[in-house]
Each structure stands twice: as structure tokens, then as C-alpha cells.
Amino acid sequence: MAEPAPDRACVINVINPNTTESMTALIAQAAQLSAGPHIRIVGRTSSFGPASIEGHYDEALATIGMLKAVAAGDAEGVDAHVIACFGDPGLLAAREITTAPVLGIAEAAMRAATFIAIHFSIVTTLTRTRVIAEHLLRNYGMEHACRRVRAVDVAVLDLDKPDANVRGLLLRECRDALDHDGIGAIVLGCAGMADLAQDLSSELGIPVIDGVAAAVRFAEALVGLKLKTSKVGDLAFPIPKARTPI
Ligand code: 5HY
């Protein structure tokens, strides 16, 4: 028997930690398309930081804006948060300041990949940001499952430019991964690629995973399980002290 409709929609705060509104629109649309019934997606653009995140400095700045967006979502009573940037910037800091579940799209995509394949490869934007994905793989204990972190060398803000031939470059890199990496799945390494996963997957005949969709669905599952971020241990609320307000 189908689950009775909940008395109110589950609201997921999908945060774009860069300041580019058009990218938030793409992310929120992909999130709503992948969300289950009775799920309302709130797309939120960071109010502080870089227009795109393509390095360690960008990540550090973006974390402040992302934390402000978590606090704004909590003030509205959202049920969960998604950090829609493939570096999962400030993921643990975000989990400290809220009881709502917080999912990073990189972690969600990597874990989804290991549910359906033994090995996967990642295809991200710039060669210089590959190291960020490699650090996350180690942090999440996934380095054994990931065969290669590849890059198409397209800037994040060029992903939606028709003349950047993004689909063509991704298709070529994904096909090369399929042919040479000995994998069963591919993870796309940028929130700005969210709308390309299904098309690439059907063209290549291999699961191509978008972290935005994976994170939204995992967030729904945690809310459905009534699981919240633990306040026991290192994810307890920050120790009260004088701090410059963000
Ligand atoms: C992202 N940057 O998902 C990452 C992708 C990357 O602004 N959104 C960004 O290249 O690291």
C-alpha cells in the first residue's frame, strides 16, 4: 500500500556555494527533476565568495557563503541541506551548525557509484582541481574504488556555453574511461554537469552519476529514516565563543 502523502512537503535546501545565479537555476532544476514526490527543492545561491570554485582558495571563500546559506535554510525550517559543489566545501563545518542532514554532492555520487559498481572513474572540469577530488576520495575511504580522476579542462562558467562543446568533450573523456579504466560507473565532477548525466549514460551504456541527484535522494532517505546530524562528538554545535559574525 502506497505511503500516505505527508502532511507537508519535505523541503531540501540545495546550496550552490558559488555566486552564479544561472548555475543555481540549472542545479535546482536537476534537483527537482530527480526528487521524489512531496519533495520541495529550495535552490540557494551563496551571497559571498567566488563566481565559480576552481581551487583551494575559492573553496575557502565559498565555505563562508555556504555556511550562511545553511543558517538561512535552518531559519526557514528546511529538512535537509545539499552542498552542490563537487569539492564538498565545508561539509563537516556545515554538519556542526545544524541538526538537519547535510549531503555533499561528491560524497553522495561516490557512495552511489559503489552501490552499483566495484570501480568508477571521475570526470571533472579542470586538471588543477583533480587533486581536490583525490583528497576527498582519501577522506571518504574511496580511493580503492576510484580508478582515475580525469578532467576535460573546461572552466566551470564555460560549462553552459554552447561553443564550449562540453557534451562532446565529456563524451570523449567518458568513452576513454569506459575503454581503459576497467570501471562499471562514471561520476561527473561538477554540479554544472548535472543536466548531462542521463544523456551520457544512455549514449555510453554505463551508469553516469550526477551528485546533485544522488545527494537529493540520499537526503530524502535520511529524512524518511528520521535520521538527523548527530550532536554527540565532533559534530556537536560549535563551542560558544566570540566570533566575527559571518
Ligand atoms: C562545482 N566548482 O561543482 C565545482 C566543480 C569543480 O563552482 N561548482 C563549482 O570544478 O571543482
Side-chain angles (χ1 to χ4, degrees):
M1 194 175 74
E3 237 178 87
D7 51 11
R8 73 168 183 80
C10 163
V11 183
I12 302 180
N13 189 31
V14 177
I15 301 164
N16 172 16
N18 71 41
T19 58
T20 304
E21 292 278 359
S22 59
M23 202 164 161
T24 308
L26 179 148
I27 292 166
Q29 188 187 29
Q32 194 66 70
L33 279 175
S34 63
H38 318 303
I39 302 295
R40 186 162 66 80
I41 299 293
V42 175
R44 206 179 297 268
T45 306
S46 173
S47 60
F48 177 90
S52 67
I53 303 161
E54 295 169 323
H56 310 294
Y57 179 72
D58 287 344
E59 284 212 335
L61 288 186
T63 296
I64 300 293
M66 181 278 295
L67 292 170
K68 287 162 72 90
V70 168
D74 278 350
E76 293 167 12
V78 303
D79 300 287
H81 305 277
V82 167
I83 300 174
C85 170
F86 200 78
D88 294 353
L91 179 59
L92 296 181
R95 286 176 176 159
E96 265 194 67
I97 64 169
T98 182
T99 57
V102 185
L103 281 295
I105 65 167
E107 184 181 18
M110 294 172 186
R111 297 207 188 280
T114 57
F115 287 145
I116 59 163
I118 304 298
H119 292 110
F120 63 90
S121 284
I122 295 171
V123 180
T124 190
T125 51
L126 301 178
T127 296
R128 73 171 284 168
T129 58
R130 288 190 306 165
V131 66
I132 293 176
E134 286 154 5
H135 285 175
L136 292 179
L137 286 164
R138 260 202 307 281
N139 288 352
Y140 300 147
M142 292 268 166
E143 69 271 34
H144 65 286
C146 183
R147 280 281 163 78
R148 261 185 84 181
V149 179
R150 296 164 167 264
V152 288
D153 280 314
V154 174
V156 170
L157 295 181
D158 290 343
L159 287 172
D160 61 355
K161 296 212 170 47
D163 55 1
N165 179 29
V166 173
R167 185 184 178 282
L169 292 170
L170 277 173
L171 196 56
R172 191 182 64 193
E173 197 65 35
C174 289
R175 183 168 279 123
D176 196 66
L178 175 58
D179 295 345
H180 298 104
D181 295 0
I183 55 173
I186 293 171
V187 165
L188 295 182
C190 182
M193 298 171 180
D195 57 339
L196 295 166
Q198 282 184 359
D199 168 32
L200 290 168
S201 191
S202 45
E203 172 103 20
L204 293 163
I206 184 173
V208 177
I209 299 168
D210 154 46
V212 172
V216 164
R217 283 294 188 159
F218 286 155
E220 278 180 50
L222 291 170
V223 172
L225 291 164
K226 299 193 175 15
L227 290 175
K228 292 185 170 291
T229 300
S230 172
K231 293 297 135 188
V232 178
D234 64 307
L235 295 180
F237 290 113
I239 299 164
K241 66 186 73 176
R243 292 186 179 88
T244 315
I246 57 173

Coordinates of all heavy atoms in Angstrom, one line a residue, residues 4 107 183 197:
P4 N 1.0 7.1 2.8 CA 0.1 8.2 2.7 C 0.9 9.5 2.5 O 2.1 9.6 2.9 CB -0.5 8.2 4.1 CG 0.4 7.5 5.0 CD 1.1 6.4 4.1
E107 N 30.6 13.3 -2.2 CA 30.4 12.1 -1.3 C 29.2 11.3 -1.8 O 29.3 10.1 -1.9 CB 30.3 12.5 0.1 CG 30.2 11.2 1.0 CD 30.0 11.6 2.5 OE1 29.6 12.7 2.9 OE2 30.3 10.7 3.3
I183 N 36.2 0.1 -15.4 CA 35.2 0.6 -14.4 C 33.8 0.1 -14.8 O 33.5 -0.3 -15.9 CB 35.2 2.1 -14.4 CG1 35.0 2.6 -15.8 CG2 36.5 2.7 -13.8 CD1 34.8 4.1 -16.0
A197 N 24.0 14.0 -17.2 CA 24.3 12.6 -16.8 C 23.5 11.5 -17.5 O 24.0 10.6 -18.1 CB 24.1 12.5 -15.3

